[in-house]
């Protein structure tokens, strides 16, 4: 039952937002009493924590799987983007923004975990890209990996990029285009343009 509650809550939070969804609405959507929810989660914060941790684990496992396929680094970045978008369902409610606003401690903890996972993955991607001649030899991989993280999380800032004006999928594509053009060799640009046509 715990997993069912997490799954349904995740769906509701992604579509309507962490703040908007009440425990009553979650109970109604599941066809159970609120008492049943409180049997597994002491309060809404505990449920939000479980949901965000579950989402994080699923996305992390997916990223590990994509990185294990050993595709070329540019294709890998777009494959990870696709995976994240599938899990976050285009972020209609800007969950990251709501998490930051209403659950700041949880948001900071999640951001640190995201950085650790992404830093390792992005560093490996950059190093392989340089070796394969897709990325320029003179890039500072540590600096680029940090700037990449700031950018990819920054485009989810609802103050900067309001959801009524921007679609997350096209924002992600624009950001990846911006990021990769700054580090690609001519050979890498050809691969990037192939990906942009497909995406």
């Amino acid at each position: 039952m715990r997993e069912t509650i997490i799954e349904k809550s995740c769906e509701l939070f992604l579509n309507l937002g962490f703040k908007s969804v009440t425990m009553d609405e979650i109970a109604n959507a599941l066809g159970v009493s609120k008492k049943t929810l409180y049997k597994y989660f002491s309060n809404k914060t505990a449920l939000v924590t479980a949901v965000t941790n579950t989402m994080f684990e699923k996305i992390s496992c997916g990223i590990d799987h994509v990185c294990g396929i050993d595709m070329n680094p540019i294709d890998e970045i777009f494959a990870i983007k696709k995976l994240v978008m599938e899990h976050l369902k285009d972020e209609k409610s800007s969950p990251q923004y709501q998490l930051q606003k209403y659950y700041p401690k949880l948001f900071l903890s999640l951001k640190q975990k995201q950085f650790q996972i992404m830093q390792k993955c992005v560093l490996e991607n950059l190093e392989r890209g340089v070796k394969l001649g897709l990325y320029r030899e003179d890039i500072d991989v540590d600096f680029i990996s940090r700037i990449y993280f700031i950018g990819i999380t920054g485009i989810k800032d609802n103050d900067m990029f309001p959801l009524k004006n921007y679609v997350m999928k096209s924002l992600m594509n624009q950001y990846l285009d911006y990021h990769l053009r700054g580090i690609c060799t001519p050979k890498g640009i050809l691969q990037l343009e192939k990906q942009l046509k497909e995406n």
Side-chain angles (χ1 to χ4, degrees):
M1 187 66 191
R2 190 175 190 276
E3 283 68 33
T4 307
I5 294 168
I6 289 172
E7 202 175 304
K8 178 50 80 177
S9 302
C10 181
E11 183 190 313
L12 292 169
F13 289 148
L14 285 176
N15 286 320
L16 305 168
F18 288 108
K19 176 72 175 157
S20 315
V21 180
T22 65
M23 293 296 262
D24 279 316
E25 287 167 332
I26 294 166
N28 287 340
L30 285 162
V32 299
S33 69
K34 209 157 66 160
K35 192 178 171 186
T36 304
L37 294 186
Y38 287 117
K39 184 179 162 188
Y40 295 94
F41 302 97
S42 56
N43 53 37
K44 187 178 169 186
T45 303
L47 177 55
V48 170
T49 303
V51 166
T52 53
N53 286 337
T54 301
M55 280 168 60
F56 175 79
E57 289 304 322
K58 277 185 185 172
I59 291 170
S60 296
C61 287
I63 289 172
D64 284 347
H65 174 72
V66 170
C67 292
I69 295 171
D70 199 33
M71 57 181 81
N72 91 58
I74 293 169
D75 292 352
E76 181 180 274
I77 284 179
F78 279 91
I80 290 170
K81 180 213 79 169
K82 187 179 176 202
L83 169 98
V84 170
M85 293 306 295
E86 281 166 6
H87 278 285
L88 297 181
K89 299 174 177 55
D90 209 26
E91 304 197 350
K92 296 178 195 75
S93 63
S94 189
Q96 178 181 291
Y97 179 76
Q98 288 207 354
L99 209 56
Q100 186 173 4
K101 193 170 178 184
Y102 302 110
Y103 300 92
K105 282 184 186 167
L106 181 55
F107 172 77
L108 281 174
S109 155
L110 193 65
K111 190 175 175 182
Q112 285 167 347
K113 288 199 296 186
Q114 280 177 327
F115 177 70
Q116 285 164 358
I117 292 281
M118 275 183 68
Q119 173 80 340
K120 179 179 177 287
C121 174
V122 175
L123 279 171
E124 286 170 4
N125 180 283
L126 291 167
E127 285 161 1
R128 276 193 309 117
V130 170
K131 274 183 196 159
L132 293 170
L134 295 168
Y135 303 152
R136 299 191 334 261
E137 282 181 15
D138 60 346
I139 61 170
D140 179 334
V141 291
D142 183 65
F143 172 77
I144 300 286
S145 69
R146 289 167 189 273
I147 285 289
Y148 178 78
F149 181 77
I150 289 168
I152 209 79
T153 52
I155 62 171
K156 294 173 186 174
D157 183 329
N158 211 20
D159 288 329
M160 291 285 111
F161 299 100
L163 286 174
K164 65 180 190 292
N165 301 338
Y166 296 94
V167 176
M168 187 50 67
K169 188 179 178 185
S170 68
L171 263 183
M172 291 274 271
N173 276 345
Q174 283 179 289
Y175 179 70
L176 294 182
D177 186 24
Y178 172 81
H179 162 71
L180 288 164
R181 282 187 195 279
I183 62 171
C184 277
T185 59
K187 179 184 172 185
I189 295 283
L190 289 174
Q191 190 61 33
L192 166 63
E193 287 177 346
K194 183 174 169 246
Q195 270 294 346
L196 289 170
K197 273 179 196 158
E198 290 169 12
N199 280 274

